[in-house]
Amino acid sequence: MLNLPQLKNQQLWLCALTHRSYVNEHLEIKEHNERLEFLGDAVLAFVAGEFLYQRYPHLSEAQLSRLRARLVDETQLAKFAVQLGIGQLMRLGKGAIKDGGRENPALLSDTFEAIIGAYFLDAGIDAVREFVRPLFQSVADILMVAQSEILTSEKLLDPKNRFQQWTLANFTQNPEYVIIEESGPDHAKEFTAQVKVQGIVYGIGRGRRKQEATKTAAEAALKKIGLF
Amino acid sequence: MLNLPQLKNQQLWLCALTHRSYVNEHLEIKEHNERLEFLGDAVLAFVAGEFLYQRYPHLSEAQLSRLRARLVDETQLAKFAVQLGIGQLMRLGKGAIKDGGRENPALLSDTFEAIIGAYFLDAGIDAVREFVRPLFQSVADILMVAQSEILTSEKLLDPKNRFQQWTLANFTQNPEYVIIEESGPDHAKEFTAQVKVQGIVYGIGRGRRKQEATKTAAEAALKKIGLF
């Protein structure tokens, strides 16, 4: 099990662990952890962004954004919280405990964020960075590979991509898509697209949008050459 | 006009100003500002969150989140960019300039983020904080007041809120809502709600959802007492 940070300010630490449902049942306690959660969310967005920017110098902005979203989403933060044993430390109301609150991903993730917010107030951004980086390092590469595999398989399945691969391999040319017809009223248009290679029509397709029509044309072309 | 930060690293500065459309037209230039934009977005999320957390100790997490979304959205960042004269500095392709790119909020906002990312790499988080805080200070209170006015007027218009105000004023009691009937199949349920004060029914309402049914019941109650 990984270690939680040690805060100098014990009150702040307790506040980070305190869920709203606990405050409702304990009149002497005034503050729950939601504001710290807000702060921790902002701190994590930054540390995650900085970490990914440095670790993956060749990824595009879009790839980095997708990766950051995964690295600090509820699912992932709840996993970190479990690794750190946060479930047993959360101060929850009796009802929340009965409803399985200690294993609830939303509560675990929120409390993790609140702890990050509290640690930031207690020890500053460098301390948070040092605490969080090993967690990020333990999953970033796995998330990145998983993501590129999804993207690759999507690309492989896309008929326009597949037909392009074939034309490049056979003609060292890209296929050419042309919208040859538009029909119907504005709210129910239909487009007809043609895909040509070296001036020869390989497929025709129809669709409600231009993109759909060209995709259907590519499918027709793949059928014609026996690849669909 | 406010002053832009001075970067030690001039190459980084130029990169922050360079839009993808400029790179497409200048083969000798390899890098556009999109990765810096990703980094700047993360830095801004953090500095804005920290700023709001400190400035408004009495706002809830939900209020802070809404405010942060407004403080660093495209509209607001584009306004900062205009104040800083970024429009004329952006390195855009000819087509983008012709299409009004120098006044385009999306381009202005993206470039502002890229400058923040570059300045962070050049001078660190404290320097960014010092640069950005006066900008945030200049608009935060206005955004907060605007937001609370919207929320107040929404609350005033909501029939359940209005009926509650009346019952509190006249009986120092909250109205009580009860779902008295559920009918129809799962995909087309209808709910019937009753609203009572001190055991007396003031209104009945129906709706596809419980919330809708209680709202309709509150409207009926307001009609009964002549406030709708």
Side-chain angles (χ1 to χ4, degrees):
Chain A
M1 176 137 349
L2 291 159
N3 288 324
L4 280 162
Q6 302 278 327
L7 270 70
K8 294 185 285 281
N9 184 336
Q10 278 306 296
Q11 215 175 332
L12 201 56
W13 171 245
L14 281 180
C15 180
L17 297 175
T18 306
H19 186 250
R20 174 191 283 270
S21 62
Y22 188 86
V23 175
N24 292 342
E25 290 178 10
H26 296 79
L27 291 175
E28 76 283 7
I29 291 169
K30 299 262 176 294
E31 240 190 322
H32 53 66
N33 61 7
E34 289 178 13
R35 279 177 48 90
L36 286 174
E37 181 197 327
F38 166 80
L39 184 63
D41 173 81
V43 172
L44 280 172
F46 166 54
V47 183
E50 184 195 25
F51 168 79
L52 294 173
Y53 179 89
Q54 292 171 344
R55 189 176 184 96
Y56 303 112
H58 299 297
L59 290 191
S60 72
E61 187 228 351
Q63 290 167 317
L64 290 170
S65 295
R66 273 195 298 267
L67 208 46
R68 190 180 81 174
R70 290 288 305 277
L71 191 57
V72 293
D73 70 3
E74 186 182 291
T75 309
Q76 188 56 57
L77 295 185
K79 284 184 191 167
F80 292 149
V82 169
Q83 287 171 34
L84 293 159
I86 289 173
Q88 288 314 307
L89 302 174
M90 295 195 289
R91 307 212 289 177
L92 302 174
K94 286 180 196 131
I97 294 174
K98 223 168 126 186
D99 293 345
R102 299 207 183 281
E103 287 84 41
N104 182 320
L107 294 188
L108 286 163
S109 158
D110 290 351
T111 309
F112 180 81
E113 290 181 327
I115 288 174
I116 295 297
Y119 192 42
F120 166 66
L121 291 177
D122 195 75
I125 192 70
D126 293 336
V128 172
R129 194 186 271 125
E130 214 167 300
F131 166 62
V132 167
R133 288 210 159 208
L135 294 172
F136 287 168
Q137 267 156 8
S138 69
V139 294
D141 292 342
I142 300 165
L143 290 177
M144 197 205 47
V145 171
Q147 194 181 73
S148 12
E149 275 169 6
I150 291 167
L151 292 177
T152 312
S153 63
E154 273 170 9
K155 272 197 182 164
L156 285 177
L157 289 172
D158 176 59
K160 284 173 76 171
N161 262 300
R162 289 181 57 203
F163 188 55
Q164 184 186 31
Q165 278 170 19
W166 182 81
T167 63
L168 286 173
N170 289 278
F171 302 97
T172 57
Q173 275 194 16
N174 283 316
E176 190 193 346
Y177 292 89
V178 196
I179 300 293
I180 54 171
E181 204 189 316
E182 265 187 58
S183 62
D186 268 352
H187 62 282
K189 273 225 180 316
E190 198 184 50
F191 296 94
T192 308
Q194 212 177 45
V195 55
K196 295 198 275 189
V197 189
Q198 293 191 316
I200 293 162
V201 177
Y202 275 74
I204 288 180
R206 284 185 188 77
R208 285 295 187 89
R209 293 182 194 169
K210 288 181 188 171
Q211 217 190 348
E212 203 181 307
T214 52
K215 194 177 148 187
T216 321
E219 281 172 8
L222 285 170
K223 274 177 199 149
K224 188 178 170 123
I225 58 171
L227 287 177
F228 195 80
Chain B
M1 174 135 349
L2 292 159
N3 288 325
L4 279 163
Q6 302 277 328
L7 271 69
K8 294 185 284 282
N9 184 336
Q10 278 308 298
Q11 213 175 333
L12 202 55
W13 171 245
L14 281 180
C15 180
L17 298 174
T18 306
H19 185 251
R20 174 191 283 271
S21 62
Y22 188 85
V23 175
N24 292 342
E25 290 178 10
H26 296 79
L27 290 176
E28 76 284 7
I29 292 170
K30 299 262 175 295
E31 240 190 323
H32 54 65
N33 61 7
E34 289 177 15
R35 279 176 48 91
L36 286 174
E37 181 197 328
F38 166 81
L39 184 63
D41 173 81
V43 173
L44 280 172
F46 166 54
V47 183
E50 183 194 28
F51 169 79
L52 295 172
Y53 179 87
Q54 291 172 344
R55 189 176 183 97
Y56 303 112
H58 300 295
L59 290 191
S60 72
E61 187 229 352
Q63 290 167 316
L64 291 169
S65 294
R66 272 194 297 268
L67 208 48
R68 189 182 82 175
R70 291 288 305 276
L71 190 57
V72 293
D73 71 2
E74 184 182 294
T75 308
Q76 188 54 58
L77 295 186
K79 283 184 191 167
F80 292 150
V82 169
Q83 287 171 37
L84 292 160
I86 289 174
Q88 289 313 307
L89 301 174
M90 295 194 290
R91 307 212 289 177
L92 303 174
K94 284 180 197 131
I97 295 174
K98 222 167 129 186
D99 294 345
R102 299 207 182 280
E103 287 84 39
N104 181 322
L107 293 188
L108 285 163
S109 159
D110 290 352
T111 309
F112 180 81
E113 290 182 328
I115 288 174
I116 295 297
Y119 192 40
F120 166 67
L121 291 177
D122 195 73
I125 193 70
D126 293 334
V128 171
R129 194 187 270 125
E130 212 167 301
F131 166 62
V132 168
R133 288 210 159 208
L135 294 172
F136 286 168
Q137 268 155 9
S138 70
V139 295
D141 291 342
I142 300 165
L143 290 178
M144 199 206 44
V145 171
Q147 193 180 74
S148 12
E149 276 169 6
I150 291 168
L151 292 178
T152 313
S153 63
E154 273 170 11
K155 272 197 182 163
L156 285 178
L157 290 172
D158 176 59
K160 284 175 77 172
N161 262 300
R162 289 182 57 204
F163 188 55
Q164 183 187 30
Q165 279 172 17
W166 181 81
T167 65
L168 286 173
N170 289 279
F171 303 99
T172 57
Q173 275 192 16
N174 283 317
E176 190 194 345
Y177 292 89
V178 196
I179 300 294
I180 54 171
E181 205 190 315
E182 266 188 56
S183 61
D186 267 354
H187 63 278
K189 274 225 179 317
E190 198 184 50
F191 298 93
T192 307
Q194 212 177 42
V195 57
K196 293 198 276 189
V197 190
Q198 294 191 315
I200 294 162
V201 176
Y202 275 74
I204 288 180
R206 284 185 189 78
R208 286 294 187 90
R209 293 182 194 171
K210 289 180 188 171
Q211 216 190 351
E212 201 181 309
T214 53
K215 194 177 148 186
T216 320
E219 280 172 10
L222 285 170
K223 274 178 199 148
K224 188 179 170 122
I225 58 171
L227 287 176
F228 194 80

